[in-house]
Amino acid sequence: PFIAHLRTLMKQRASRDIVLVYAVQSEAELAYLDVLKQAGIRCIIVANGDVRQKLPKDWVAVKSAFVTKEIIETQVPDIQKRAAYISG
């Protein structure tokens, strides 16, 4: 659902302050990189392995097996003011 939402926003040329926290086990699981890059949103990739090589320079890579409260609070300090959606 998130990719469809991003595509709609891009088609409408709408601008939103979006932060995507995306958890994967390895870089092989990174899907829709082309859409995410084109959308120009802030992306935080949480992965147990090293995924830094596949990511744009302005994306953040966090080494962890899981998304934790501490990761979210550190990487998205204004989380309390945001609407959050979870998928997967």
Side-chain angles (χ1 to χ4, degrees):
F2 298 121
I3 296 302
H5 182 71
L6 285 174
R7 284 181 173 146
T8 299
L9 290 174
M10 288 187 299
K11 188 176 182 179
Q12 296 172 346
R13 299 184 190 270
S15 178
R16 300 280 193 283
D17 181 14
I18 297 172
V19 178
L20 175 67
V21 179
Y22 186 3
V24 295
Q25 287 299 311
S26 68
E27 68 179 29
E29 293 183 6
L30 287 167
Y32 300 104
L33 286 178
D34 56 334
V35 176
L36 296 173
K37 289 174 189 176
Q38 188 179 12
I41 63 172
R42 184 165 172 241
C43 292
I44 297 131
I45 309 300
V46 179
N48 204 25
D50 182 21
V51 296
R52 187 74 236 159
Q53 299 164 2
K54 271 195 147 180
L55 304 182
K57 292 180 183 181
D58 58 335
W59 289 15
V60 174
V62 177
K63 187 167 176 62
S64 177
F66 304 98
V67 175
T68 65
K69 175 183 175 191
E70 292 76 23
I71 290 171
I72 293 173
E73 289 176 342
T74 300
Q75 298 300 324
V76 190
D78 62 346
I79 188 66
Q80 297 297 328
K81 298 176 185 173
R82 293 181 173 273
Y85 303 94
I86 300 173
S87 178

